[in-house]
């Protein structure tokens, strides 16, 4: 399977390689200062070690390499579980623009130009089962271009893994290990998720033997955020490090690829992700989220997305990647209910057209309305953002009962039905054209496109 070279993808990777070259330079400078500090006995001569990812970002911004739409947004520093700076870059690419291709291609430069090796560990995190299955199929197929890119990088020593597979330190040293993981499996939300942080018995070569208590103490001192057993009732004073996958990742310091990065912005997901002590985090997203600052008893600074690459819809259109006609109906104002009302009217118009078609051809094709909201989690209904439940409540007041309303809400469709390739192909064969998309915006400062109705009918 040959892939066509697309101009926007070439430019994106060229920019990423420029970023990596500058990153390597800034890290070298920071490492030199850190090494000098380590051998310095006079505290007055100790120099501050610069945040090299921040310095890299500032250098690129100074020469106008960052996306114009993000140039005024400062870099948001990221730190691992030990407080070390972690380089983070976001590829903002529209759906269908080849995010997985860009991620697989980026690994060559990341390992070769920045890390200086062709083996190691990539933790590839996806948001749902549908994308997990698709990505696994692509990376497992040695004939697929994405897998071939990784094989070229590793010299045909790519090993695709899942979280329950046996993990040996020798495999990481000798291969390019790529572990697929679903987002909910990587954070500590439930008992199933906690399996990553339990002693498994098949994670080998990373930790001292059980009886070497002094070695366990040294391991804990070297990597303070390792999980240890609770030995409160034990007479021993030595810590005992768990042989868990979570601990192994903290020692490996993986490269993290975060697909649909906007889904991992909660404090829990963010803390867990960077608690794996990654050496680099690459996020892929069509709609990156800028997390606002919070006050109160637990204040938190703003955490904007570090968008390095921004691909726009017009870039895809120039390459012939958009095949369907789009009719845009942008709406002024910030009341999302007005936009939703217009969309519902349009849905009803399409339904009338569908019934006319049924009378002529004897076949009814149901129009579909997709609604993109700002929040979906049960704990994210804060009144400041448009929540999926707010949309459901509004649709109920508009007269749609549960049986009719549920299939129309993207919150219900996105995880299972629309993620299923066969169902999506069925939508693409829709005799009335494509489904209508409603994008809602709560306030002008939200990082969304303008509120409006996208009518994708031919």
């Amino acid at each position: 399977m040959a892939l066509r070279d697309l101009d926007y993808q070439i430019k994106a990777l060229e920019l990423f390689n420029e970023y990596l070259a500058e990153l390597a330079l800034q890290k070298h400078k920071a490492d030199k200062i850190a090494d000098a500090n380590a051998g310095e006995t006079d505290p007055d001569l100790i120099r501050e070690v610069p945040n090299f990812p921040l310095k890299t970002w500032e250098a690129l911004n100074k020469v106008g390499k960052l996306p114009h739409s993000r140039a005024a947004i400062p870099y948001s520093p990221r730190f691992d579980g030990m407080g070390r700076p972690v380089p983070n870059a976001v590829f903002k690419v529209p759906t269908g623009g080849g995010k997985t291709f860009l991620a697989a291609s980026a690994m060559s430069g990341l390992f070769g130009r920045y890390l200086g090796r062709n083996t190691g560990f990539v933790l590839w995190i996806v948001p749902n089962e549908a994308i997990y299955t698709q990505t696994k199929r692509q990376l497992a197929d040695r004939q697929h271009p994405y897998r071939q890119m990784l094989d070229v990088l590793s010299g045909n020593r790519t090993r695709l893994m899942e979280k329950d597979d046996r993990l040996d330190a020798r495999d990481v040293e000798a291969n390019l290990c790529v572990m697929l993981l679903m987002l909910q499996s990587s954070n500590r939300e439930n008992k199933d998720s906690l399996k990553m942080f339990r002693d498994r018995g098949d994670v080998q070569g990373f930790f001292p033997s059980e009886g070497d208590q002094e070695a366990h103490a040294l391991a804990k001192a070297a990597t303070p955020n390792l999980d240890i057993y609770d030995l409160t009732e034990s007479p021993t004073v030595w810590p005992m490090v768990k042989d868990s996958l979570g601990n192994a990742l903290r020692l490996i310091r993986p490269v993290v690829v975060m697909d649909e990065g906007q889904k991992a912005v909660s404090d829990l997901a963010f803390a867990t992700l960077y608690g794996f002590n990654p050496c680099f985090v690459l996020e892929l997203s069509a709609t990156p989220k800028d997390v606002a600052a919070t006050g109160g008893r637990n204040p938190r600074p703003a955490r904007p997305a570090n968008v390095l690459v921004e691909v726009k819809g017009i870039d895809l259109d120039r390459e012939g990647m958009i095949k369907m006609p789009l009719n845009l109906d942008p709406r002024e104002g910030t009341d999302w209910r007005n936009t939703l009302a217009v969309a519902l009217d349009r849905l009803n118009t399409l339904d009338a057209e569908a019934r006319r078609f049924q009378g002529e051809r004897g076949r009814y094709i149901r129009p579909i309305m997709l609604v993109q909201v700002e929040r979906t989690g049960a704990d994210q209904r804060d009144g400041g953002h448009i929540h999926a439940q707010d949309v459901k409540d509004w649709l109920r007041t508009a007269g749609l009962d549960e049986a009719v309303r549920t299939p129309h809400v993207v919150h219900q469709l996105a995880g299972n039905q629309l993620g299923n390739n066969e169902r999506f192909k069925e939508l693409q064969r829709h005799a009335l054209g494509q489904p209508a998309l409603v994008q809602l915006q709560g306030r002008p400062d939200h990082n969304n496109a303008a509120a409006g109705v996208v009518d994708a009918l031919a």
Side-chain angles (χ1 to χ4, degrees), residues 119-288:
T119 61
F121 200 97
V122 178
L123 186 63
W124 200 300
I125 303 178
V126 297
N128 56 53
E129 186 174 352
I131 297 180
Y132 184 98
T133 301
Q134 177 180 319
T135 306
K136 179 183 176 182
R137 182 174 63 250
Q138 293 168 339
L139 297 184
D141 182 3
R142 293 184 179 274
Q143 302 305 313
H144 196 282
Y146 301 165
R147 173 58 183 265
Q148 290 176 348
M149 293 175 192
L150 299 178
D151 283 342
V152 169
L153 166 62
S154 67
N156 289 317
R157 289 178 295 165
T158 305
R159 183 180 176 192
L160 185 64
M161 306 178 67
E162 298 181 87
K163 66 181 177 67
D164 292 327
D165 290 346
R166 177 180 178 273
L167 180 61
D168 193 298
R170 292 170 295 183
D171 292 331
V172 180
E173 295 172 359
N175 301 280
L176 178 63
C177 298
V178 181
M179 177 176 284
L180 285 177
L181 193 68
M182 274 197 289
L183 178 62
Q184 57 265 38
S185 297
S186 66
N187 59 52
R188 299 184 173 204
E189 288 186 346
N190 51 52
K191 291 182 180 180
D192 183 64
S193 302
L194 286 170
K195 291 179 181 179
M196 282 198 66
F197 304 94
R198 293 175 182 166
D199 190 327
R200 296 187 352 177
D202 59 354
V203 178
Q204 300 177 352
F206 297 97
F207 310 106
S209 60
E210 184 173 336
D212 195 343
Q213 296 177 331
E214 184 175 359
H216 276 268
L218 292 174
K220 175 65 175 176
T223 310
N225 66 330
L226 290 176
D227 286 335
I228 60 174
Y229 289 101
D230 183 2
L231 300 177
T232 305
E233 305 299 326
S234 173
T236 181
V237 296
W238 301 99
M240 184 68 67
V241 178
K242 293 182 179 180
D243 287 335
S244 67
L245 175 58
N247 271 347
L249 291 175
R250 292 175 179 127
L251 293 183
I252 292 170
R253 301 204 66 197
V255 170
V256 172
V257 174
M258 181 71 223
D259 199 354
E260 301 291 348
Q262 78 280 1
K263 297 182 182 294
V265 297
S266 71
D267 290 345
L268 174 63
F270 186 83
T272 304
L273 173 64
Y274 283 90
F276 289 139
N277 297 346
C279 66
F280 194 101
V281 176
L282 175 63
E283 298 179 41
L284 313 170
S285 177
T287 56

